Amino acid sequence: DMAEKLVVEAVGYNHHNEKEGVKIDICDVDTHSMHTLVFKRWGSSRSYVFIGNWVRDFVSRRSLKSGDEVGFHWDPYARRFHFSVLARRMN
């Protein structure tokens, strides 16, 4: 529901680009690096996902683990997401 309300319209996702999705720039504010992923609705689950190099550009590079908390913020002026690791899972 949050993606429907907050993201879909902002990134220009609609029925015309539903099949291929929309390329989205994402700035990792912690490392000051830029990345591009595709935002789309996953057919089988009907949930919205980022596809592309998510694992390489974010999970592996930032050593993300299950339970880590990440945040995304849409910057309407730059027309991109800002990504940050908010909290690491405590062992």
Side-chain angles (χ1 to χ4, degrees), residues 4-22:
E4 280 290 337
K5 293 176 186 173
L6 303 173
V7 180
V8 171
E9 186 175 331
V11 301
Y13 186 86
N14 57 48
H15 68 279
H16 296 294
N17 53 28
E18 188 171 36
K19 187 173 183 175
E20 68 276 358
V22 176

Side-chain angles (χ1 to χ4, degrees), residues 62-84:
R62 297 299 309 276
S63 300
L64 296 177
K65 306 265 188 278
S66 178
D68 289 348
E69 184 179 345
V70 300
F72 286 91
H73 166 76
W74 176 254
D75 181 339
Y77 301 104
R79 300 202 38 80
R80 67 181 181 213
F81 278 104
H82 290 221
F83 167 90
S84 183

Side-chain angles (χ1 to χ4, degrees), residues 12-68:
Y13 186 86
N14 57 48
H15 68 279
H16 296 294
N17 53 28
E18 188 171 36
K19 187 173 183 175
E20 68 276 358
V22 176
K23 285 187 178 183
I24 301 295
D25 289 330
I26 302 175
C27 176
D28 184 331
V29 297
D30 301 325
T31 63
H32 306 288
S33 58
M34 288 295 295
H35 307 273
T36 301
L37 295 176
V38 174
F39 177 80
K40 71 177 290 179
R41 187 176 222 168
W42 201 251
S44 58
S45 66
R46 305 300 293 162
S47 60
Y48 291 94
V49 296
F50 288 116
I51 60 172
N53 293 317
W54 168 255
V55 172
R56 183 193 74 198
D57 291 348
F58 293 94
V59 177
S60 296
R61 187 178 62 84
R62 297 299 309 276
S63 300
L64 296 177
K65 306 265 188 278
S66 178
D68 289 348

